[in-house]
Amino acid sequence: MNEQEQLNYDRIAKAIAHIRSNFKEQPSLDEIAEQVHLSPYHFQRIFKEWAGISPKKFLQYTSVQHAKAVLDESKATLFDAAIETGLSGTSRLHDLFITIEGMTPGEYKNSGENLTINYSYAHSPFGLVVIASTPKGLCHVAFTDDEEQGLYELKSQFPKAQYHQRVDQTQVNALMVFANDWSQISEIKLHLKGTDFQLKVWESLLRIPKGQLATYGKIADVIKRPKASRAVGTAIGSNPIAYLIPCHRVIQSSGNLGGYRWDSIRKTAIIGWEAAQSR
């Protein structure tokens, strides 16, 4: 993402925030464009370039009514192991290529004392990300507004690890998902620090297809812990792999999109963008 693309994303994020705050008033195109200091024509063009759809259509994709409809449609097939979308070309779901390996008890207990971690920064359609990997796989992907803060948060997860600012093939491969470039992607391996319960929750998230949504209660049912919705929510909130483990696809049963570890506006942007790409 170059400087102009980042500026456009920031404008889109601000526009989405305004739409969310004023949804009941149904703001016009002119009103939204004014919030980001653009002409209606220019704003509509940039928005379509970013999301592939008009601001009005995007608003529909992120509304409570649409979310409820998606939840109703997906009840029967949301976690069906036999994904019917096929495995060729751009219809591939990146979720099918991701496997999780939990860290050993020693790695977990010792805060990464014997781990060597490569990290780098990259631009995505949803802002700057810090991405990190061990020899066994990806261990951290997080959206951040500042490189220094992003690195601090990474190191807080593994305070005793050895760090090298270095781009490796694991990181390059994982970042391909933002471009929907499946021709370059092989299996993505994740090397994660988590309890057995957390790993089970994160694995369940990988089975939510792009453009679909699930509720916290549904995740609890899938892992056979129907009374653990609150614990499921906590595990989802501690997900260490942004976007690839799609915690953004989990919303409240009411249809409200709910919070997100990396900002609720970003969650709205991702859900709307994925809905548009999946249509």
Side-chain angles (χ1 to χ4, degrees):
M1 184 183 290
N2 59 36
E3 185 175 344
Q4 185 60 51
E5 289 172 335
Q6 181 65 51
L7 176 61
N8 287 344
Y9 171 74
D10 291 341
R11 285 168 168 166
I12 298 304
K14 185 176 180 180
I16 291 170
H18 180 74
I19 290 171
R20 287 193 61 184
S21 299
N22 300 275
F23 176 80
K24 292 182 179 180
E25 285 73 33
Q26 289 291 293
S28 67
L29 177 65
D30 289 4
E31 290 170 331
I32 302 170
E34 185 179 356
Q35 294 297 314
V36 294
H37 310 293
L38 291 172
S39 69
Y41 172 81
H42 194 192
F43 170 65
Q44 175 115 325
R45 181 177 63 80
I46 290 175
F47 201 101
K48 280 191 173 182
E49 287 176 353
W50 179 79
I53 52 174
S54 68
K56 183 176 181 179
K57 193 69 175 177
F58 183 91
L59 177 58
Q60 292 175 356
Y61 283 152
T62 56
S63 71
V64 171
Q65 289 79 7
H66 176 77
K68 285 182 177 178
V70 172
L71 290 173
D72 289 340
E73 291 170 3
S74 61
K75 281 180 180 177
T77 61
L78 184 59
F79 293 99
D80 192 334
I83 302 296
E84 298 177 358
T85 55
L87 299 177
S88 61
T90 57
S91 64
R92 280 181 165 179
L93 296 171
H94 75 265
D95 313 310
L96 301 180
F97 298 89
I98 298 177
T99 58
I100 294 178
E101 176 180 338
M103 293 191 175
T104 66
E107 291 168 334
Y108 189 109
K109 181 179 179 181
N110 297 325
S111 302
E113 184 174 6
N114 298 315
L115 287 178
T116 297
I117 295 178
N118 293 337
Y119 73 93
S120 62
Y121 304 96
H123 289 283
S124 78
F126 312 106
L128 183 69
V129 295
V130 56
I131 182 168
S133 55
T134 74
K136 292 183 180 180
L138 211 63
C139 64
H140 183 86
V141 179
F143 294 108
T144 183
D145 296 323
D146 176 79
E147 290 188 1
E148 185 176 343
Q149 179 63 26
L151 180 58
Y152 173 81
E153 291 175 358
L154 166 61
K155 289 186 174 181
S156 70
Q157 300 298 312
F158 307 98
K160 296 182 180 180
Q162 297 181 36
Y163 290 90
H164 303 283
Q165 186 168 358
R166 180 183 303 154
V167 178
D168 59 32
Q169 191 58 45
T170 297
Q171 298 169 19
V172 171
N173 192 34
L175 290 168
M176 291 288 183
V177 300
F178 289 114
N180 288 326
D181 188 356
W182 304 111
S183 64
Q184 302 294 322
I185 298 178
S186 58
E187 185 179 62
I188 299 172
K189 294 184 178 180
L190 306 181
H191 187 206
L192 303 185
K193 175 184 176 182
T195 65
D196 289 343
F197 180 81
Q198 287 174 322
L199 294 174
K200 188 175 293 186
V201 170
W202 299 338
E203 284 174 346
S204 73
L205 300 181
L206 296 175
R207 299 177 65 184
I208 309 174
K210 183 178 179 179
Q212 297 294 317
L213 301 169
T215 64
Y216 298 97
K218 181 64 175 178
I219 300 296
D221 288 340
V222 167
I223 65 171
K224 302 187 184 332
R225 296 284 297 275
K227 297 182 179 180
S229 293
R230 181 167 295 183
V232 163
T234 300
I236 290 174
S238 60
N239 169 30
I241 305 289
Y243 192 77
L244 280 83
I245 296 182
C247 57
H248 58 272
R249 296 177 192 160
V250 184
I251 66 172
Q252 298 171 2
S253 58
S254 64
N256 290 313
L257 302 189
Y260 186 51
R261 180 176 181 177
W262 296 285
D263 186 69
S264 60
I265 298 302
R266 182 174 277 116
K267 180 177 183 177
T268 304
I270 296 174
I271 288 175
W273 184 83
E274 287 192 337
Q277 301 297 313
S278 302
R279 294 302 184 271

